[in-house]
Amino acid sequence: MKAPLSWLKDYVDIDISAQELADKLFSCGFEVEELIYLGEKISRVVVGEIKALTPHPDSDHMQICVVDCGEEYGRELQIVTGASNVYVGMKTPCALDGSTVVESNPAMLEKNPDGIKKIKKGKLRGVESFGMLCSGEELGINDDFYPGAEFDGLLDLAKDAPVGEDIKKIVGLDDWIFDISVTANRPDCQCILGIAREVAAVMNKPFKAPDFTYTAKKTSASPISVEVLAPDLCPRYVGHYVENVTETVSPAWLRKRLAISGIRSLSPIVDITNFVLLEMGQPMHAFDADDIADRKIIVRRAEKGEKIVTLDEKEFTLNPENLVICDGNKPVALAGIMGGLNSEIKSSTKNVYFESAKFARDNVRKTSRALGQSSDSSSRFEKGVDAYTNGLGMARALHLIEELACGTVTELCTDVCAVDLAPRTMTASIAKINALLGITVPNEEILSILTRLNFQPAIEGDALTVVIPGYRDDVDGYPDLAEEIIRMYGYDHIIPTFLQAAQVTGGGLTDEQKKELHLKNLLCVQGFSEAYNYSFYSPKDFDLMKLPEDAEERNAVRILNPISEELSVMRTFLAPSMLMNAVRNIRRGNDEGRQFEIASTYTPRNTAASEQPDERKHVVLGVWGGKNDFFDMKGGVERIAEVFHLNFTYERASKSYLHPGVSANVILNGKTVGYIGELDPAISASLGLDKKVYLGELDLGALDLDDGVRYKNLPKFPAVKRDLALIADEKLTCAEIEDVLMHSCKYVTEVKLFDVYRGGQVPEGKKSMAFTLTFTPDANVEKAFTPETLDGYVKKILSNLKFKLGIELR
């Protein structure tokens, strides 16, 4: 929410600086995310008066000006200009030597990326110039800020502009914008008036309400009837007929208010609806009354297949989930979002029908997202508009019609209301409020605070009775009153205390968190970068991964109100997210990378939505491009096993999304705890990838990570290595052979494959695999291994290989 300081001063006498006001707003629960000074790019630019003009001796269009900039800056400054509209007696902005203005030349923005142009004295074709005379463009303003600012020439200021005065004060740039973060429970503060009420309360100053008065005139025009067929989506609809509309220019004060808020002036009628939206927070719409068929307004759900063309000339096909405003024949507006092109305000419009309504925020949000159509009005309705403000917003607009003399307010009006507008009264216990706050707030302070917040409080004994303002739909119980009291009384009054069941702890990380951090660090050392992804993805990802219809991974928790269909199911495994990370990186030119993510997967326990899903921590690895291959992925997994004292084995995997010949399941104690492998080439091709992607995922809950340090005595004698070349069946895996080699002799501490050969001297259907075995004597062995001892161990190993796997020595 952006609120100009000058606009807030219309309702509150603010006598403190902008920064002090920002601090006060923060103290009462409104964080000012940014404090913007409108004239931050302008410095040392003042009002100058042209006293004399002399043609430039070496230029046909330049003139030498004698400029009076006041006693402080110089009465006779010489400035050269090429502007054609300069004349003696003209008052115009004068940028002095060392000043700054807005960089208006697009070609120079690369040199001045901050958009600031510095002015220095210099010579123009041999004649000294001690500054520059400015147009509105150099000040960054348009005609809505100051008349004539868009003219292609010098800005011609009013004759009463004081010479030497700072130009920011003259053109309205000496102002501050408060960019305020408004919490979701305070939609009443999504407008200037709402913030002004808070400013008045926190400063303990009177609040000056705007004028809502108007005089309705009799008319001979036929009334326009209003029928609301969907009161659940439109609890209140206020309409008012205005005739004899004139096409004039909005006054300077109104145009300037809109300009500061980033809105261009279009016409008085449109400007009034925009002004009321900003000031009151009430979206309004104006129909050309003569285009309303049968003089009827009907608020209803759209019919399936019904079409409407909105003001921005976009056509939409509607359904019964959409709410429309119709005349006697057709839709004329998309409720809460945008008016229809068939009833827009035109230069020829003579009679207008104003609409001020409350539309259900969820319906406006769903329609806006489903159609991909949004507006300032839809954004406001999505945050919430109270029925109380509907009437005030209409009254404010009608007052402005009279003030601007741009139409005649008639007696023809309709108010269809399905909600009770009577003020709500609530009684609460002061003792409960103080108990909730943990302090005792004096009764006189409670009365003062709630009075400033317009709650009309009264205290009788322990009972606090308030009349809740119509715009405060968020107040519903004594905790809300406690919040109102403490944010104005001051949070610094709260005394920090322990809860009764609280106890002091040593702090720090839990054992589980320490292990997870250790895992992250070791993966980073292996060259992996940590990634964070959403905890949900699209159901289409299951199809992308070619999962069968009965796959366990498809049994996912579905989100009832997803951000979009692309993020509508909780993750049952992490591989799709990591794949998308790799895809995005490759498509953006990051051709090589390693990433990991540690996150939870979610599996529903049953179909009951009330029961929480089963959460299990997984780690997923992804590598792609460069020299990365399957063994880099396997090396990362093996490093995890080594550090956490795990004994992984591997067997051929059969995953729908992995290459059938370059993938493996990770086995721990006979149980599958994960997998590693290359992405299926068919999936890779469908994604248009020109790099190979490798994925791996482990179920951390099944690993029983133990990162404790283990000690053992050093062997007294050195380890010995032996190489074995074996003839094995083609179907046997390296893991199967390594398992037998490791378990055939207790002194075998390491097995490494160093060669695989197929061809001559190896029978068909067989392969030759060469391994290096490391024999390490333990601390209890009293003498070194002799060749004879090792021969015995090798003989035993070969016997086991022959018996279990049918393998022979080559």
Side-chain angles (χ1 to χ4, degrees):
M1 170 63 203
K2 293 187 177 181
L5 179 61
S6 60
W7 200 344
L8 293 173
K9 287 182 176 180
D10 287 352
Y11 314 108
V12 187
D13 291 326
I14 300 174
D15 53 7
I16 58 177
S17 69
Q19 185 58 58
E20 287 175 312
L21 181 56
D23 293 339
K24 282 187 174 292
L25 285 170
F26 181 78
S27 72
C28 68
F30 292 90
E31 180 185 0
V32 178
E33 294 183 333
E34 188 176 8
L35 191 56
I36 306 164
Y37 185 57
L38 285 181
E40 64 178 347
K41 294 182 179 180
I42 312 297
S43 67
R44 286 180 56 79
V45 181
V46 300
V47 176
E49 183 177 359
I50 309 299
K51 290 297 186 180
L53 291 174
T54 305
H56 193 292
D58 294 327
S59 174
D60 294 336
H61 71 282
M62 288 186 177
Q63 299 192 68
I64 304 170
C65 309
V66 177
V67 185
D68 179 5
C69 291
E71 198 66 42
E72 182 179 353
Y73 302 107
R75 292 289 186 182
E76 295 183 350
L77 290 179
Q78 178 174 292
I79 296 178
V80 179
T81 181
S84 60
N85 66 327
V86 65
Y87 62 90
V88 174
M90 181 185 199
K91 290 186 176 180
T92 191
C94 178
L96 305 169
D97 179 31
S99 63
T100 59
V101 295
V102 175
E103 178 57 77
S104 57
N105 185 353
M108 296 298 291
L109 286 176
E110 185 174 341
K111 182 180 179 181
N112 302 318
D114 56 359
I116 297 176
K117 179 179 180 180
K118 297 179 180 178
I119 305 300
K120 297 180 179 179
K121 66 179 181 180
K123 289 185 178 182
L124 291 177
R125 297 195 179 183
V127 177
E128 279 195 311
S129 181
F130 293 87
M132 182 182 77
L133 303 181
C134 302
S135 67
E137 193 174 23
E138 274 93 28
L139 302 179
I141 60 175
N142 57 33
D143 284 348
D144 292 337
F145 266 92
Y146 198 91
E150 295 180 47
F151 179 77
D152 186 16
L154 300 181
L155 178 58
D156 197 350
L157 300 174
K159 298 305 178 187
D160 60 354
V163 170
E165 182 65 85
D166 189 337
I167 195 64
K168 296 193 288 289
K169 296 180 180 179
I170 302 297
V171 300
L173 291 177
D174 188 26
D175 201 357
W176 292 87
I177 305 294
F178 295 83
D179 190 352
I180 303 170
S181 175
V182 179
T183 54
N185 67 317
R186 292 300 304 275
D188 61 295
C189 289
Q190 293 284 353
C191 61
I192 303 297
L193 209 61
I195 297 298
R197 285 191 290 253
E198 294 294 323
V199 170
V202 76
M203 293 184 64
N204 198 10
K205 293 285 188 85
F207 172 71
K208 297 178 287 187
D211 197 342
F212 298 104
T213 61
Y214 62 91
T215 303
K217 306 282 196 316
K218 292 185 180 297
T219 179
S220 59
S222 301
I224 295 177
S225 65
V226 176
E227 184 179 9
V228 179
L229 300 180
D232 56 325
L233 302 183
C234 179
R236 191 181 186 192
Y237 189 97
V238 181
H240 209 113
Y241 183 74
V242 176
E243 61 185 5
N244 302 324
V245 171
T246 57
E247 185 67 21
T248 59
V249 177
S250 296
W253 69 265
L254 176 55
R255 294 165 59 197
K256 189 172 180 180
R257 286 280 179 262
L258 297 176
I260 289 176
S261 301
I263 299 176
R264 289 302 304 262
S265 174
L266 298 175
S267 70
I269 298 298
V270 176
D271 290 352
I272 286 171
T273 61
N274 286 330
F275 181 84
V276 172
L277 172 63
L278 295 171
E279 182 189 46
M280 306 285 299
Q282 174 61 56
M284 296 189 68
H285 186 65
F287 300 98
D288 188 324
D290 296 329
D291 289 336
I292 299 176
D294 301 333
R295 308 287 284 184
K296 289 182 180 179
I297 289 290
I298 303 171
V299 185
R300 61 169 174 81
R301 286 176 167 82
E303 297 174 2
K304 187 174 183 179
E306 198 167 23
K307 296 182 183 295
I308 186 173
V309 178
T310 50
L311 289 171
D312 55 0
E313 301 184 3
K314 294 180 182 178
E315 184 178 70
F316 298 98
T317 301
L318 310 176
N319 61 61
E321 294 295 319
N322 311 133
L323 187 69
V324 289
I325 314 299
C326 304
D327 60 14
N329 297 330
K330 61 191 178 299
V332 292
L334 201 53
I337 299 176
M338 192 174 288
L341 189 63
N342 53 16
S343 61
E344 69 171 333
I345 300 299
K346 305 174 283 291
S347 59
S348 59
T349 297
K350 296 300 180 186
N351 304 301
V352 168
Y353 193 72
F354 275 107
E355 165 195 283
S356 178
K358 173 180 173 63
F359 299 115
R361 66 170 78 182
D362 57 337
N363 180 261
V364 174
R365 175 181 176 273
K366 289 176 182 177
T367 298
S368 177
R369 297 207 173 190
L371 299 180
Q373 181 77 335
S374 63
S375 63
D376 290 339
S377 292
S378 67
S379 175
R380 186 66 185 82
F381 275 118
E382 288 179 29
K383 294 179 174 71
V385 171
D386 57 87
Y388 170 82
T389 305
N390 299 156
L392 281 181
M394 178 63 76
R396 182 62 171 153
L398 298 178
H399 169 82
L400 292 171
I401 291 288
E402 286 192 344
E403 183 179 332
L404 273 58
C406 59
T408 303
V409 179
T410 73
E411 293 180 334
L412 298 182
C413 63
T414 306
D415 187 347
V416 179
C417 187
V419 294
D420 185 5
L421 296 178
R424 292 181 296 142
T425 300
M426 185 174 74
T427 300
S429 166
I430 294 178
K432 279 190 174 182
I433 291 174
N434 287 330
L436 183 62
L437 297 177
I439 59 174
T440 299
V441 182
N443 285 3
E444 55 270 21
E445 281 288 345
I446 293 176
L447 288 172
S448 173
I449 289 169
L450 293 178
T451 299
R452 300 201 306 266
L453 292 171
N454 200 25
F455 276 86
Q456 303 176 42
I459 294 178
E460 186 174 340
D462 183 54
L464 169 64
T465 302
V466 297
V467 179
I468 301 172
Y471 50 82
R472 291 300 303 271
D473 287 345
D474 61 301
V475 177
D476 196 36
Y478 82 89
D480 296 318
L481 289 179
E483 180 183 2
E484 294 300 300
I485 292 168
I486 194 61
R487 70 186 185 87
M488 288 294 171
Y489 187 55
Y491 292 103
D492 54 332
H493 285 90
I494 296 178
I495 302 171
T497 56
F498 274 119
L499 295 173
Q500 290 183 353
Q503 60 180 352
V504 178
T505 66
L509 302 176
T510 64
D511 288 342
E512 195 68 28
Q513 291 169 329
K514 290 177 181 177
K515 291 177 182 179
E516 186 173 310
L517 182 60
H518 192 176
L519 175 58
K520 290 180 179 181
N521 289 336
L522 82 86
L523 287 171
C524 289
V525 171
Q526 297 298 308
F528 288 85
S529 298
E530 186 175 7
Y532 282 90
N533 295 294
Y534 285 120
S535 295
F536 22 74
Y537 43 45
S538 172
K540 296 177 183 177
D541 288 342
F542 297 141
D543 299 327
L544 173 66
M545 306 299 274
K546 297 168 50 177
L547 293 176
E549 289 300 322
D550 59 349
E552 290 183 0
E553 292 90 341
R554 287 185 180 270
N555 182 26
V557 177
R558 300 193 175 272
I559 309 299
L560 293 178
N561 56 339
I563 297 173
S564 70
E565 182 62 21
E566 299 302 311
L567 299 168
S568 61
V569 296
M570 303 296 287
R571 295 192 291 183
T572 53
F573 67 126
L574 307 183
S577 298
M578 184 56 68
L579 173 58
M580 288 300 104
N581 287 0
V583 170
R584 281 190 292 270
N585 275 278
I586 293 171
R587 288 176 177 174
R588 294 172 185 176
N590 298 324
D591 293 336
E592 180 179 357
R594 297 185 181 192
Q595 287 188 356
F596 77 91
E597 181 186 11
I598 299 175
S600 293
T601 60
Y602 304 86
T603 306
R605 298 179 192 273
N606 54 43
T607 57
S610 60
E611 188 171 353
Q612 295 297 315
D614 181 32
E615 296 186 36
R616 294 184 68 86
K617 276 285 181 72
H618 281 212
V619 57
V620 62
L621 309 179
V623 299
W624 66 87
K627 296 182 179 180
N628 290 315
D629 60 16
F630 174 82
F631 294 101
D632 291 289
M633 173 67 69
K634 185 170 182 282
V637 172
E638 289 182 336
R639 180 59 180 158
I640 294 174
E642 180 182 354
V643 170
F644 290 98
H645 312 296
L646 302 172
N647 185 20
F648 287 157
T649 57
Y650 305 89
E651 64 179 24
R652 190 181 301 276
S654 179
K655 296 280 186 184
S656 60
Y657 47 90
L658 298 180
H659 191 303
V662 192
S663 59
N665 286 327
V666 182
I667 311 297
L668 177 64
N669 299 327
K671 181 181 178 182
T672 300
V673 295
Y675 59 84
I676 54 175
E678 179 188 334
L679 181 67
D680 188 317
I683 298 177
S684 184
S686 69
L687 293 170
L689 301 180
D690 58 356
K691 311 290 181 195
K692 289 185 177 181
V693 177
Y694 300 88
L695 300 171
E697 187 167 348
L698 298 175
D699 180 358
L700 294 181
L703 296 188
D704 189 22
L705 298 180
D706 176 11
D707 59 351
V709 179
R710 296 185 181 183
Y711 299 92
K712 63 178 181 179
N713 293 328
L714 293 174
K716 298 176 182 178
F717 303 98
V720 181
K721 297 181 183 292
R722 282 287 183 95
D723 293 341
L724 295 178
L726 308 173
I727 300 294
D729 192 271
E730 187 67 57
K731 295 181 180 179
L732 288 175
T733 65
C734 179
E736 290 175 305
I737 300 173
E738 285 183 348
D739 184 60
V740 174
L741 290 171
M742 285 293 296
H743 292 88
S744 293
C745 177
K746 67 177 183 179
Y747 297 117
V748 175
T749 54
E750 186 179 38
V751 176
K752 281 190 177 181
L753 174 72
F754 67 86
D755 182 59
V756 178
Y757 173 74
R758 298 176 180 86
Q761 301 179 354
V762 177
E764 188 176 350
K766 302 284 185 177
K767 58 186 174 182
S768 172
M769 303 179 71
F771 294 90
T772 296
L773 279 62
T774 301
F775 295 86
T776 306
D778 59 34
N780 297 323
V781 175
E782 295 297 332
K783 59 180 180 178
F785 289 143
T786 63
E788 293 78 11
T789 303
L790 288 176
D791 288 343
Y793 295 155
V794 170
K795 185 176 180 181
K796 180 181 178 182
I797 291 171
L798 291 174
S799 176
N800 277 338
L801 289 171
K802 175 72 173 176
F803 176 73
K804 294 181 177 180
L805 302 177
I807 292 176
E808 295 183 349
L809 186 66
R810 181 178 173 186

